[in-house]
Amino acid sequence: MSHSNSLSRGMRRIGAGTIRAISRTGFMFRFFLAVLLKTPSALHRLQLTAREIYFAGVLSLVVIMVSGLFVGMVLGLQGYDSLNKYGAGDSLGIFVGLSLVRELGPVVAGLLFASRAGSAVTAEIGLMKTTEQLSAMEMMAVDPLARIVAPRFWGGVISMPLLAALFSVMGVFGAYLVGVRLIGVDNGTFWGNMQAGIDFWPDITNGIIKSVVFGIAVSLIAVFEGYDADPTAEGVSAATTRTVVGGSLAILALDFVLTVFMFRGLGNV
Amino acid sequence: MNRATIDLWVGIFVTIGIGAVVFLALKVGNLATLETKPSYHLDANFDNIGGLKQRAPVKAAGVIVGRVESIKLDPKTYEAVVGLRIDTGYQFSKDTIASILTSGLLGEVYIGLEIGGDPQMLADGGRIAKTQSAVVLEKLISQFLFDKASSGPAK
């Protein structure tokens, strides 16, 4: 008897979890549509969006640029070591450039963005909800979706591609420092191979598409988790954690899906 | 933080962000070398193009003078028709020989042009008559083995 009881309890837990996941997904999608509907008001009051670009983008500059530099320098060292085993050390430029532009730039910048800016947005909106500022706005006939959520969403979406591009540039610069200045790969070979092997279309545009998609995903998760947080101290902390974990997993999963589609497009070239 | 400071920083951020995209396009990628130069079209037929790909370089005396634009199979002769886009600054004589070469053992495949002595030049849409196919390594090896086998048992 107790055995079947524990079995049904387990089943109930699975069922409840599934229903919760589905209803949250549906809520998130409707929330996304609502934010998109409020976009005109976010663009109308550009000052609010500019403020969010400042918090999400400008304040992330240092961490993004320093990380990009170090990732590029490590790529330069590791890449040269591996390539040189096959006598292909001259291909360092194209190796570094392609890895950064196609994958590492958008993905690592996205992960950093989720933990640096996404978590802050979630905590801010969650705390506004906890202290009933959002309800107070509604009482005053101010739509919190238009006043609070939409500017933060668009601030993130606009910042993310720019941060990813900066990350790639700093990475290439870091690889240049290590590869050309330190190891002694020829300067002309480094840049020449890179330019010969990397096309604006599709390599760089694919990287930009990825960073835009990641920006939408992370920003949506951040504002949604804040808006959906339990109005307690615990609830806000759990929501912040969910933003970082969920945002990072979303980036990696989306990256795989996008890469599959992009490579299928490249397949017969 | 007042409004003017935020505007200034956002302005700086957006400017260097767009600057980074432009840098990627021009310095890391090859947008600059691709679109700006005026160019003309040449065709060349090959029996076998080996590993030649679209956008492979076309070189004369080792200098890149153009790129492979298209690769098709002629349905009648079963020859590969390779379309080349050559920079307008370079003119080649009518008896130019196009051959498919590889830089190094594992390097990229490219088309090499050897210039002839004909005073007449190839015009836009012209055809390079003399071509040399890619050397397929497997064929060379099998030929070598076949020769070895037919020349008698190894000692």
Side-chain angles (χ1 to χ4, degrees), chain A residues 5 88 95 97 130 133 137 170 182-183 208 248 265:
Chain A
N5 241 353
F95 165 77
T130 310
Q133 292 180 45
M137 277 185 184
M170 290 307 288
L182 192 71
I183 298 177
I208 294 174
S248 308

Side-chain angles (χ1 to χ4, degrees), chain B residues 103-124:
Chain B
S103 53
L105 200 58
L106 300 168
E108 60 173 359
V109 181
Y110 65 97
I111 291 189
L113 298 180
E114 277 170 66
I115 288 81
D118 196 322
Q120 271 196 308
M121 296 292 169
L122 286 161
D124 184 32

Side-chain angles (χ1 to χ4, degrees), chain A residues 58-144:
Chain A
V58 176
L59 296 184
S60 305
L61 268 182
V62 173
V63 67
I64 291 281
M65 290 174 85
V66 172
S67 312
L69 189 67
F70 278 107
V71 167
M73 293 200 292
V74 169
L75 269 183
L77 281 173
Q78 295 279 15
Y80 184 80
D81 185 53
S82 305
L83 288 171
N84 211 30
K85 281 182 185 157
Y86 300 96
D90 285 347
S91 307
L92 183 67
I94 179 170
F95 165 77
V96 168
L98 273 186
S99 338
L100 280 166
V101 167
R102 276 193 190 163
E103 289 295 330
L104 287 173
V107 171
V108 180
L111 295 177
L112 289 168
F113 184 73
S115 32
R116 166 67 188 71
S119 59
V121 165
T122 304
E124 193 186 8
I125 298 181
L127 202 65
M128 282 180 176
K129 190 182 178 192
T130 310
T131 53
E132 298 190 334
Q133 292 180 45
L134 296 184
S135 318
M137 277 185 184
E138 276 172 8
M139 298 275 274
M140 294 187 290
V142 176
D143 186 353

Side-chain angles (χ1 to χ4, degrees), chain B residues 5-6 26 28 30-31 35 41 86 101 119 123 126-127 145-146 149:
Chain B
T5 321
I6 288 179
L26 297 183
V28 177
N30 50 16
L31 194 65
E35 307 293 344
H41 183 92
I86 310 285
L101 305 166
R127 177 172 300 275
L145 291 178
F146 186 72

Side-chain angles (χ1 to χ4, degrees), chain B residues 27-39:
Chain B
K27 267 315 255 188
V28 177
N30 50 16
L31 194 65
T33 56
L34 191 66
E35 307 293 344
T36 50
K37 288 180 191 161
S39 56

